Amino acid sequence: MRGLSTPELLEAWERGWAQRPFDRALTLLAAACPDSLPEALASLSIGRRDASLLMLREWAFGPDLAGVAVCPHCGERLELNLNVAAMRSAKEPVAEVSLTMGAVESRFRPPNSYDLRAVAGLGMAEARSQLFERCVLEARSGGETVSVSQLPAEVVEAVIERMAEADPQADVQWEIFCSSCGHRWCEVFDIVSFFWTEIDAWARRILGEVHVLALAYGWRESEILALSPSRRQLYLEMVGR
């Protein structure tokens, strides 16, 4: 994987504009991993995918993360400042896990982008059920193969828990403290939506700069994007941007 140039990131933004979040994630990874097959990228577990996106985001915009949250207790609007390191899991993901509970043996894997695409548009309960079924590779009870629907509830809960442990980067929590009322809570940090929101704001700003300089000097978009950010800013200042 490598960092993206300004034209490459703009192109990825344009391609991903009408896509769903999981497809946007793959569009960004495909741009940064030109030697990887799309099938290989889609087969990455969600945690591995998100770890790569977090790295790509750091290369694009730096290590600092800034966000906004609203306290669910008092309604205070909070500005959040963290860094990429705080959002990166220290645990390595596991591609496949086995679990034995009593007479039940199961083998499963964490979800990937193919799984997310397969359950897109379904209701929450049905999506969770189908996602679970797709990720269970084998289930046996007393040595006999059984369907996922035959697994006891306690086994299902244990598998889901172990599945999350196997792919820790897929569920990163942003711990938040409200200084106004003292309330503490956690928000899920979704690198796909976070990164895409930043890319969208950045792309609109860059295209605004291209528009101004193209009108002022008659330059082509490629010529303007080839300028370093500092030189581009100096030209903008000279035309009164």
Side-chain angles (χ1 to χ4, degrees):
M1 190 172 76
R2 57 174 177 78
L4 299 176
S5 67
T6 296
E8 288 172 333
L9 189 53
L10 277 174
E11 185 178 347
W13 168 77
E14 185 176 4
R15 289 201 308 272
W17 175 251
Q19 293 178 333
R20 293 172 292 189
F22 49 83
D23 286 324
R24 286 174 175 171
L26 294 177
T27 292
L28 290 170
L29 287 185
C33 305
D35 296 329
S36 297
L37 293 174
E39 295 81 4
L41 297 175
S43 296
L44 293 173
S45 72
I46 299 305
R48 288 186 182 274
R49 180 203 71 178
D50 287 359
S52 296
L53 288 175
L54 193 61
M55 183 180 296
L56 187 60
R57 189 271 171 202
E58 184 175 15
W59 290 344
F61 300 133
D64 297 322
L65 302 169
V68 175
V70 176
C71 177
H73 189 261
C74 71
E76 182 73 12
R77 187 175 184 273
L78 308 171
E79 294 185 359
L80 309 175
N81 294 285
L82 282 175
N83 57 61
V84 168
M87 295 292 101
R88 183 175 288 125
S89 174
K91 298 180 180 179
E92 286 294 319
V94 180
E96 189 177 303
V97 182
S98 297
L99 177 67
T100 300
M101 291 185 66
V104 179
E105 301 174 3
S106 58
R107 191 166 54 85
F108 48 92
R109 60 169 177 78
N112 58 36
S113 295
Y114 281 127
D115 301 318
L116 296 186
R117 184 178 291 147
V119 303
L122 300 179
M124 181 65 72
E126 187 178 0
R128 285 173 60 90
S129 176
Q130 289 199 22
L131 195 63
F132 179 79
E133 185 171 350
R134 289 177 62 90
C135 292
V136 175
L137 304 174
E138 183 181 29
R140 302 175 68 86
S141 181
E144 298 292 329
T145 299
V146 297
S147 67
V148 173
S149 62
Q150 293 176 290
L151 292 176
E154 60 271 19
V155 172
V156 172
E157 292 177 5
V159 168
I160 291 175
E161 183 178 343
R162 289 291 299 276
M163 204 178 289
E165 293 173 355
D167 203 28
Q169 192 67 51
D171 184 22
V172 177
Q173 302 288 324
W174 194 325
E175 187 175 350
I176 305 173
F177 171 73
C178 179
S179 57
S180 295
C181 69
H183 182 62
R184 291 181 181 272
W185 78 101
C186 288
E187 294 278 0
V188 173
F189 176 70
D190 180 6
I191 181 58
V192 178
S193 62
F194 188 92
F195 192 16
W196 189 261
T197 298
E198 290 183 311
I199 291 172
D200 186 58
W202 168 87
R204 292 174 183 275
R205 177 178 60 80
I206 290 295
L207 292 180
E209 294 176 357
V210 169
H211 174 71
V212 170
L213 294 179
L215 287 177
Y217 297 105
W219 294 337
R220 296 191 300 271
E221 181 184 75
S222 59
E223 294 173 321
I224 297 170
L225 295 179
L227 296 171
S228 68
S230 57
R231 289 183 65 184
R232 192 161 60 239
Q233 184 57 41
L234 286 173
Y235 280 117
L236 289 168
E237 291 174 1
M238 284 188 282
V239 298
R241 167 72 173 189

